[in-house]
Amino acid sequence: MPNITACPLDCYDACSIVYEDGKLKGSKVGDTRGFLCPHMNNYTDYETIKTPRYKGVEIGMDEALSHLSEILKESEKDKILHYKSHGNFALMQEVTEHFFASYGATLTDGTLCDGAGEAGIIEGRGSNKNMPLSEIAKSEVVIFWGRNPHTTSSHILPLIKGKTIIVIDPHETKIAKMADLYLQIKPRGDIYLAMLLSRFLHIEGNCDEEYLDKYASEYEDYYELTQSIRIKAILDDIDISLGQIGDFLSLIKDKKVAIVCGVGIQKYRDGADVIRAIDAFGVMLGLFGKDGCGVAYLGNSKEHITSPFHTKAKRVSKVDTKFENYKTVFIQGANPLSQMPDTLRVKESISKVENIVYFGLYENETSQVADLIIPAKSFLYKDDVRTSYSHNAMMFMNKIADTPYGISEYDLSSYLCKEFDIALETEGFYLKYFKNFAVVMMDGVLHVEGREDVVYKDGFDTDDDEFLFLDEVDLKMINNDKLNLLTSKSPKSLNSQFSRDKHVYIHSALGFVEDELVTISSDAGSVEFKVKLDNNLRKDCVLIYSGTKGLNNLTSSQHSYEGKCAIYQENRVEIARS
Ligand code: SF4
């Protein structure tokens, strides 16, 4: 069997993997640079579900599939929901949507991750083409704006040695401690900072006017909008000084700059505007279309790839899904009882579903309430193809071993398509179809054909090729006694997969002690956690890592204004001794 595959986790780096002597190792070719992160280094230590279950009783796979078929036949088509997320990230994963969409079931849209930011990018640029890692490698200054690369994208780290580093983050992370300039901004302050940076850049006469005249000619109007900010009051509010703004602008002057954004800055109702304002600052600097310059967020991992699957269907949001409207809910690669906002509502809603089918790798809150559990096959035991939202490589995920446990997404869909007389090509057909989008680059790495490394060289993808600036913003910081909730990614888990955290992290100035039991409350609910003290946090913040049990009792199921995205950090919280 071939020994080359790729990491299936929902992560920027999309590493290429070599399987040698029974071990998973990072490929030395391309952006993986010979190393994997702790999630993948310990991947095989985490026990997966091996045996299907129906109503709590272990059964064989054939029996499980026939239960699934019966359940679907007994449900009216418009009472079936397919709820899929990205616990397993690869192109063949969509084959299940092909079955459910063709059958007439309802699918989901919206996002628990990056959708608000993406909406802001598309509004400004007309599309979401990302600055890939290979271009960040050519920059002279890297600004990590709410991104913690040691946890979420460690393969950037070898690329930034010797560069000037600026970090903007309420949490003084490892990269913040290494930075040439660190701004410990107050949460929700990012849009103000981005607009003020554009304003001062303009005042100093350092905008790239030649570029702006060509590709963003409304920049004077945007400058006027930035003048609606009261400088002193807002700087005080967001905890940034004029001196820091000056230092920031002098560090980036006449340099190749990469602005690398994380998702935390857009987990608010106005998340689209936040990223659009950061994009606007990049435009004022003339960062687009040039080597080693740009704004990196999450690009579209399927850019230049068309789907062979039928996925047109009625869709409902995966942020506030009303499960009670369905008789049968098929959940794939997702753990909604932990990861959807407003857990109490989700619990209540899901408890009214007659048939919950869970198709996944690990036991979790959702598998515990499922009527039918169908174990999936991990990436080690099936063929697939993956792309990335942070670089342009395409990786073939070759099966590297056989297993008697679980079923692949293709085999499950193939069974269902036969049962319900729905057309489906062979697995080999689809794999070949996806692989045909790859071209070999000079360094031997496969890339998605047509994807550019330097994006927006000839202007933007808007109607007139020009960047569309924000023309109004709702500027109001909320200053009250409540604390800001941060829901960053944990170094030990990927959302609810792997080793999940159990603590709340706070600054010692709040007066609590290590391991003390506290109750954190928001408008949505309250939860008890043990305290871990972390003086790298701001005193007005409470950090509960994504994937921590109970976190989403505190979050509400409202959407961002744009992008149908969950807004985990919108709710403010209070802390009290339990
Ligand atoms: S860094 Fe990301 S892509 Fe690479 S092994 Fe870890 S989780 Fe997988």
Side-chain angles (χ1 to χ4, degrees), residues 486-532:
L486 302 179
T487 62
S488 316
K489 299 268 192 238
S490 155
K492 294 191 182 144
S493 74
L494 186 61
N495 302 321
S496 66
Q497 293 185 62
F498 314 128
S499 292
R500 298 165 68 176
D501 206 282
K502 295 181 177 141
H503 297 91
V504 57
Y505 293 76
I506 49 171
H507 195 284
S508 60
L510 292 180
F512 298 90
V513 295
E514 188 87 357
D515 282 335
E516 185 173 1
L517 204 56
V518 293
T519 301
I520 307 290
S521 312
S522 74
D523 293 342
S526 56
V527 202
E528 278 192 336
F529 294 104
K530 269 193 182 170
V531 166
K532 275 231 180 279

Side-chain angles (χ1 to χ4, degrees), residues 6-17 26 32 35-41 151-155 386 391 494 498:
C7 176
L9 301 179
D10 183 1
C11 163
Y12 295 97
D13 293 3
C15 291
S16 183
I17 293 178
T32 306
F35 73 96
L36 302 173
C37 74
H39 297 327
M40 199 40 58
N41 286 331
T151 291
T152 62
S153 32
S154 52
H155 291 81
R386 89 159 282 179
H391 58 69
L494 186 61
F498 314 128

Side-chain angles (χ1 to χ4, degrees), residues 99 184 233:
F99 165 73
Q184 192 163 34

